[in-house]
Amino acid sequence: MKELAVRLKNGADLKLSIQELAVTKQLDGAIVLSAVGSLKRLKIRLAKAKTYKVVTDDLEIVSLIGTVVKGEAHLHIAASDDHGNCIGGHLCEGSLVNTTCELVLGILEEYQVRREFDEDTGYKEIEFIRNEEQ
């Protein structure tokens, strides 16, 4: 697996930046290996995919995980406030980097990756096909 490491600066939209990187670098499939930094605005979708929460306060990124397929990101984030309280959920557009975000993506060269609609879940779900299986 190859890696792509970048630094996102103040004001960058975290989700959009990751998606744009995937398109610009022509990454068919990637995973988030590491993300260290802070946010000044967080927008997440909460469990059951029905409600959203926006936090406009200084937050530390505690964890960011997920996949990127052909420029479409599915990311989950946890962030903590200045009291150590954490909030997490599905990362949405509109989450803005505060000072920095040191981001490392792993490029899935060994796989063909795509999203296909799954009637059971009602969502486009990821499919990983190892190259030698084709």
Side-chain angles (χ1 to χ4, degrees):
M1 175 181 349
K2 288 186 179 177
E3 301 81 25
L4 173 63
V6 297
R7 177 178 170 241
L8 304 178
K9 296 181 181 177
N10 185 319
D13 185 299
L14 184 55
K15 183 175 181 180
L16 286 178
S17 295
I18 292 169
Q19 292 179 153
E20 288 170 8
L21 267 172
V23 170
T24 302
K25 300 294 184 181
Q26 299 178 340
L27 307 179
D28 286 337
I31 57 173
V32 176
L33 296 176
S34 179
V36 178
S38 60
L39 300 171
K40 58 185 170 187
R41 183 177 194 272
L42 173 66
K43 182 177 180 185
I44 55 174
R45 189 181 74 219
L46 302 174
K48 298 186 182 179
K50 296 184 188 222
T51 58
Y52 293 85
K53 183 163 185 85
V54 176
V55 178
T56 54
D57 200 1
D58 292 340
L59 299 169
E60 290 291 325
I61 298 170
V62 175
S63 176
L64 179 65
I65 59 171
T67 55
V68 188
V69 178
K70 294 179 176 43
E72 185 179 330
H74 181 195
L75 304 165
H76 290 191
I77 191 168
S80 66
D81 65 17
D82 60 348
H83 298 288
N85 300 311
C86 286
I87 185 167
H90 181 93
L91 182 68
C92 298
E93 294 174 13
S95 298
L96 305 178
V97 171
N98 189 8
T99 56
T100 193
C101 179
E102 302 161 4
L103 176 70
V104 182
L105 299 178
I107 302 166
L108 300 175
E109 298 177 305
E110 303 86 18
Y111 292 87
Q112 298 296 316
V113 186
R114 64 179 181 234
R115 291 197 186 278
E116 297 287 331
F117 183 78
D118 184 320
E119 290 184 24
D120 292 333
T121 66
Y123 294 99
K124 287 171 60 179
E125 302 291 357
I126 200 164
E127 291 185 31
F128 298 98
I129 303 167
R130 196 164 185 87
N131 286 334
E132 62 262 11
E133 293 176 4
Q134 295 182 13

